Amino acid sequence: MNPSTTPTEYRFSFGPWNMSEGADPFGPDTRAVFPHEKKYALYRPLGFEGVQLHDDDAVPGLDDLTAAQIERQASQLKSVLANEGLTPEFVAPRLWFSERTIDGAYTSNSQSDRAYAWDRTKKCIDIARSIDCNAIVLWLSREGTYIREAKDAKVAYDRLLESINQMLDYDPTIEIWIEPKPNEPADQAYVPTIGHAIALAYASNAPKRVKGLIESAHAMLAGLDASDEMAFALAHDKLGSVHLNDQNGLKFDEDKNFGSANLRGAFNQVRVLEENGYGRRGEFIGLDVKTMRTQRGCPVTEHLSNSRTMFLHLVDKVRSLDPKLVQQFRDARDYEALEIHILKHLLGVG
Ligand code: XUL
Ligand code: MN
């Protein structure tokens, strides 16, 4: 690190859905419901100042509300966040719950379903505007197929780009951050990696306003290294945000605690972010972690504070790594020495 630069002061965010009731596809809630609106008071004490929101986290039941009702509820939320000293990081349209998005939203074969998706997206952007937030996250959950023959994939890509352009035109102040994920719920998603997301950004009418949000587990599910995915986005100045978590192999999207399955992988994500000045322009360290279904309590918050603490420990590890020594090993092409040095450094043994 350049000693003349002050260290980055990281800011952290999570979404209210990260405090879950413990249900999974095989069984019901295992914890009592903790009222959504009470969650905001927990952020600051846990060390978080950013709130990630779906459009219906911000305004519940928005499909059945008028524009004026949506506006009223959004401005109430704005005051709640301001009173708690919180910043909304992004708003994401939840386009995977409605009976009108069963076969996709922007890429559905049904014209009326696509019209619903656009209407809902406009409402999402309106909410973001009302709470002074300029980032819209697109997790393109149902934009994909269970079988390839179900949709014309070329047309689907055209429709995705067209939808992105429509959003950019609808509000010339917003940024769109695409959160790629290769599968689940679809068998195969149309935007599985950050490379696909960034290609869409460059093809759009406002490339500077389209970026990516990289979730560690999503990159791993694509068989990729999350730190390299982040480096790729950073090289294009297109890392809008991150969803740090962890994943134990190729299975369902586990949203495990950051660093809990692969500490060295987590270290490398932190190293890439820190070495490239991520966070210096106010970008958040976003988490997307779920506690274990087995955990007692209501609400359970330890997974959030523990993941944050792990991130900060790993920042210390990155800052205390001797860059000259790393360079020497690189110059000598002695990666065996580099590897054991990293492992010992992580273990804190000489
Ligand atoms: C899905 C996922 C979502 C997005 C926000 O796997 O990560 O929670 O982060 O819609
Ligand atoms: Mn996520």
Side-chain angles (χ1 to χ4, degrees):
M1 192 184 67
N2 177 350
S4 65
T5 56
T6 50
T8 310
E9 289 263 354
Y10 288 105
R11 307 197 293 162
F12 296 85
S13 73
F14 68 86
W17 67 88
N18 290 126
M19 286 180 202
S20 71
E21 277 87 56
D24 69 14
F26 308 96
D29 294 355
T30 58
R31 290 178 284 275
V33 176
F34 184 75
H36 185 80
E37 58 288 355
K38 287 196 176 166
K39 291 178 180 171
Y40 300 117
L42 305 179
Y43 273 72
R44 280 287 184 166
L46 286 168
F48 291 79
E49 61 177 280
V51 184
Q52 310 165 16
L53 293 159
H54 293 114
D55 50 6
D56 57 359
D57 295 323
V59 178
L62 76 163
D63 274 342
D64 301 321
L65 302 180
T66 64
Q69 288 169 320
I70 292 175
E71 163 64 28
R72 200 159 40 246
Q73 288 203 29
S75 48
Q76 274 163 14
L77 175 67
K78 187 179 169 186
S79 320
V80 170
L81 297 182
N83 290 340
E84 298 290 353
L86 299 175
T87 305
E89 185 192 9
F90 66 71
V91 188
R94 194 191 297 276
L95 288 168
W96 54 93
F97 248 74
S98 167
E99 60 190 22
R100 284 169 284 184
T101 57
I102 289 172
D103 192 25
Y106 310 121
T107 68
S108 171
N109 287 331
S110 148
Q111 201 280 329
S112 64
D113 288 356
R114 293 199 303 278
Y116 163 77
W118 173 235
D119 195 51
R120 174 84 180 221
T121 302
K122 281 191 287 186
K123 287 180 174 174
C124 174
I125 297 173
D126 293 343
I127 291 169
R129 205 187 340 239
S130 304
I131 61 173
D132 283 347
C133 175
N134 75 341
I136 303 296
V137 162
L138 297 181
W139 170 44
L140 299 165
S141 49
R142 299 204 185 275
E143 315 299 1
T145 49
Y146 298 102
I147 59 167
R148 299 303 81 73
E149 300 86 354
K151 288 180 190 165
D152 181 327
K154 160 76 169 63
V155 168
Y157 283 116
D158 291 344
R159 285 182 173 151
L160 279 175
L161 184 57
E162 205 177 296
S163 305
I164 287 166
N165 283 334
Q166 263 178 297
M167 292 177 223
L168 293 166
D169 284 350
Y170 181 70
D171 185 333
T173 67
I174 55 158
E175 284 194 357
I176 297 172
W177 301 344
I178 300 171
E179 180 178 350
K181 181 176 177 182
N183 58 279
E184 196 201 45
D187 171 70
Q188 183 67 56
Y190 284 133
V191 185
T193 71
I194 197 65
H196 293 75
I198 290 180
L200 279 168
Y202 284 127
S204 77
N205 291 342
K208 283 202 163 25
R209 294 200 283 131
V210 185
K211 298 182 176 171
L213 180 157
I214 296 181
E215 173 164 326
S216 323
H218 295 180
M220 293 173 210
L221 285 170
L224 298 169
D225 184 281
S227 72
D228 275 357
E229 289 287 272
M230 289 173 190
F232 180 79
L234 287 161
H236 293 267
D237 194 13
K238 291 215 169 293
L239 192 57
S241 192
V242 289
H243 268 176
L244 299 186
N245 58 16
D246 215 343
Q247 175 72 25
N248 187 20
L250 296 181
K251 44 184 77 139
F252 64 95
D253 182 8
E254 296 185 291
D255 293 339
K256 288 169 83 71
N257 288 333
F258 185 54
S260 64
N262 183 345
L263 200 52
R264 185 172 172 189
F267 164 76
N268 280 317
Q269 291 168 60
V270 177
R271 186 176 56 76
V272 163
L273 295 173
E274 167 82 3
E275 285 175 356
N276 291 290
Y278 179 87
R280 287 187 170 276
R281 290 177 295 179
E283 302 96 328
F284 279 97
I285 297 297
L287 300 180
D288 196 358
V289 289
K290 276 197 203 79
T291 193
M292 289 170 252
R293 176 173 158 82
T294 44
Q295 196 65 17
R296 291 194 168 93
C298 174
V300 177
T301 56
E302 288 87 342
H303 57 303
L304 294 159
S305 44
N306 291 345
S307 292
R308 177 182 177 278
T309 302
M310 281 310 305
F311 178 88
L312 291 170
H313 281 315
L314 289 170
V315 169
D316 288 345
K317 284 290 171 190
V318 171
R319 290 180 183 167
S320 56
L321 188 66
D322 181 350
K324 288 204 190 80
L325 204 52
V326 172
Q327 195 55 52
Q328 271 174 33
F329 293 139
R330 285 181 181 175
D331 291 344
R333 215 178 64 199
D334 190 352
Y335 303 142
E336 290 291 353
L338 177 57
E339 177 160 82
I340 195 67
H341 177 69
I342 298 287
L343 293 179
K344 285 183 168 180
H345 183 68
L346 287 176
L347 284 170
V349 295

